[in-house]
Amino acid sequence: MKFLKYLGKRIVYVVPQFLGVLVVIFTLVRLVPGDPARLMAGTLVSPEGVEIIRKKMGLTGPIYQQFWVYLKNVFHGDFGKSWYTGNEVIKDIASRLPATLELIVISLTITLLILLPIALKSIAEGKGVVKNIAGKSLFFYGLTAGCFPDFWLGLILILVFFSKLGWLPAPVGQLPIGISTTKITGMVLLDSLVTANWPAFIAHIKMLILPVFVLIFVYGSGIMKVSLVSATSIQKSDYINFAKVCALPPKQISNYVKRGTYPATVTMTALMFGFLIGGAVLVENVFSWGGIGQYAVQSVTNTDYTAIQGVVLIAAVINIVIYVLVDIIYFLVDPRIEKLG
Amino acid sequence: MEVLRVENLYKFFPLKKKGLRVHAINNVSFKIDSNETLGLVGESGCGKTTIGRCIIRLIEPSSGEIILLGKNVTKLKEKAFRDFRPQATIVFQEPYDALNPRKVVRQIIEAPLISENRLNKYERLERVKEVLEMVELDETYFDKYPIQLTQGEQQRIGIARAIATKPKLIILDEPTSLLDIRFRAETILLLKRLQKETGVSYLFISHDLVVIAQLSHRICVMYLGRIVEEGPTELVFNNPLHPYTRALFAATLFPDPDQEKPNFQLIGEVPSPVNLPSDRCNLYQRCPMAKEHCSRELPMLKELEQNHKVACFETKL
């Protein structure tokens, strides 16, 4: 019950957030110099023809009327047409977004499930071989993670593992040429699994290895460092000292520490998620992933207004959704919220 | 009855550079009887907190003996030491930092009882209620999180938790220094009353002479990891003998409008505690009373009047 009330309160905030995003997107695009109708029409169409296209794009009349048209269209799921691809923007996005989401979700999941436990192990109490190795390798990782640009690392890995060693397939996208899956969710990993298409499944995993490694290596370090800082400060706090004084089992004490790091980790992971939707673009390009980042860059270089609007809107919506999720997770991991709201 | 005796305690912290080490505690000995409060006073960094933490094994001492309730616990393995854990507890300086922010008051106070494993579930709950009442709180606090409490209440929860297992000794590590003046007085009075009711002994660690005077039966003055003066509170306060104690008193403002203007001062700053020499008085360079032989020999604690010991060659009654 408390949870529903909390959730309801939280979701009420989404409405103004979403409207705010719409206003910003709408105005910004209109502030950009150039005539989108003319661009879309090309050089051969007469001024009358451009006028018609302008009307179709909802670019005539006073600004509030234009905004009203834009709002209506958005709520009908009509984001306009991309003049570059010739498709409905919403369809373009729908076909590319799952690929990016898959990449991000897998990278962040591995970061949280493998990198973080190793990191926490490295600062755990006491001695041990595991702790020692974890500490040493993380030290090396911390030194290097910040200084390799993601696209560079991607290229080097392709050079080594594809060109030289030939262990991994060519970076031609989500699946090697000649293999395909039935589209259900758009995420090849899920689709091939659901349809039991094992050749595609295995081929896709091979394609995933390098981009996922690059994303984890370059962007996972931020999450790791934030939770390590939070863990070490908790380890030093007096309530942990007291737990030791009254001889609580070490397992329980390390749980106290672990739980204390959750808020920082969740926040940083959410930030990374939002960032990577647009930020993984260089990695997507290097591996020809065909995700939303690549689409966004292509739209910008082609001054494809409707497409840019659509991508920004979707990215914003995903961010809004993530932050709602973050608040739900906060509620679940921090008992104080239930009580204090 | 003797509750705690510390003999020739040393603690060194090695530094990264080979051969260098911080001398945190240098040959410290003292004892505490039951129902007694020993005040440990000195500047920050003089090792008083380290002593407290050595006694309850948050820090492993380098050498020396700790005799708790008549048993030498220095060499005990952690498993055997567990039996002594409920007997010696601690109250920390920062009231909020000392309480797990994700647990409610009941869970916080119950933790040492669960670990002690002597009472069943119902008895534990009764005991939590009982100690809450002892610190002037009640059942309504059971389900509150530390963040919902005032600073004074937080510190009282810290105290309630410390007395829950009916310990013989509580280490009070500057429990009042971060509190507002109102909560400070409240806490001192509470600690006094608890001692009267339960007969517990305190090792009261503080840099504040005013607070120390209110609670302690005896005090030890520490300088650079050594006890330089030890005696009953009244004797030390009325007649501070060691030059360091005198400087400390001169620098303290007592709530007394007629307090004399301080005129006893040391020269310069506290030297670094790294590789402290043990062949001369550590106050030598700063002391206005220093003579030549102070730089050649380390003064030991000497009884100048009944129970009043001072580590100084030059001072006289």
Side-chain angles (χ1 to χ4, degrees), chain B residues 3-154:
Chain B
V3 170
L4 172 77
R5 197 165 82 240
V6 171
E7 274 175 11
N8 307 98
L9 195 72
Y10 284 90
K11 177 65 197 179
F12 308 119
F13 292 105
L15 292 179
K16 278 240 169 76
K17 206 169 155 197
K18 273 248 162 81
L20 290 187
R21 51 188 192 173
V22 175
H23 292 229
I25 311 175
N26 289 308
N27 199 4
V28 163
S29 308
F30 60 85
K31 68 184 190 70
I32 304 177
D33 284 335
S34 64
N35 214 356
E36 186 191 35
T37 304
L38 176 69
L40 212 51
V41 69
E43 289 168 82
S44 332
C46 72
K48 52 193 194 307
T49 295
T50 313
I51 291 182
R53 296 193 172 202
C54 279
I55 293 166
I56 49 165
R57 280 213 184 169
L58 275 174
I59 298 174
E60 202 68 40
S62 303
S63 71
E65 313 271 290
I66 293 167
I67 293 109
L68 193 59
L69 301 169
K71 173 128 172 115
N72 189 337
V73 296
T74 331
K75 293 282 177 300
L76 276 190
K77 288 248 159 24
E78 177 58 38
K79 211 167 168 197
F81 188 67
R82 265 192 84 123
D83 297 340
F84 288 88
R85 291 272 185 208
Q87 298 301 327
T89 58
I90 184 167
V91 176
F92 291 103
Q93 181 174 20
E94 269 188 66
Y96 182 66
D97 190 52
L99 307 176
N100 189 337
R102 269 167 289 278
K103 301 270 180 215
V104 292
V105 166
R106 181 183 51 75
Q107 292 171 308
I108 289 172
I109 301 179
E110 215 182 356
L113 293 169
I114 294 174
S115 181
E116 184 191 19
N117 201 14
R118 196 170 49 82
L119 305 177
N120 68 33
K121 210 168 130 195
Y122 303 100
E123 292 167 332
R124 279 205 303 265
L125 224 63
E126 273 308 302
R127 180 65 186 156
V128 173
K129 214 161 90 184
E130 200 180 347
V131 292
L132 269 177
E133 274 156 16
M134 285 169 86
V135 297
E136 289 153 30
L137 301 173
D138 54 47
E139 263 178 273
T140 55
Y141 284 82
F142 264 25
D143 291 319
K144 287 196 175 173
Y145 286 98
I147 199 149
Q148 295 172 282
L149 309 176
T150 67
Q151 222 184 14
E153 286 169 338
Q154 285 167 359

Side-chain angles (χ1 to χ4, degrees), chain A residues 269-281:
Chain A
T269 309
L271 276 174
M272 269 304 162
F273 200 118
F275 168 77
L276 283 178
I277 287 173
V281 56

Side-chain angles (χ1 to χ4, degrees), chain A residues 119-160:
Chain A
L120 288 179
K121 182 83 204 168
S122 78
I123 56 155
E125 292 276 322
K127 297 183 176 91
V129 190
V130 184
K131 176 187 150 94
N132 222 337
I133 294 171
K136 289 228 166 74
S137 44
L138 281 185
F139 176 72
F140 179 73
Y141 169 57
L143 279 182
T144 48
C147 54
F148 293 161
D150 51 2
F151 63 91
W152 179 86
L153 185 63
L155 286 174
I156 294 295
L157 291 177
I158 290 170
L159 180 72
V160 173

Side-chain angles (χ1 to χ4, degrees), chain A residues 220-233:
Chain A
S221 64
I223 300 174
M224 182 191 86
K225 279 175 189 167
V226 164
S227 47
L228 272 188
V229 167
S230 143
T232 41
S233 78

Side-chain angles (χ1 to χ4, degrees), chain A residues 55-76:
Chain A
K55 209 162 182 180
K56 249 172 99 184
M57 289 174 79
L59 294 176
T60 49
I63 196 91
Y64 62 87
Q65 240 172 35
Q66 290 187 27
F67 185 62
W68 181 241
V69 173
Y70 176 64
L71 266 189
K72 266 207 302 214
N73 287 343
V74 165
F75 280 105
H76 283 104

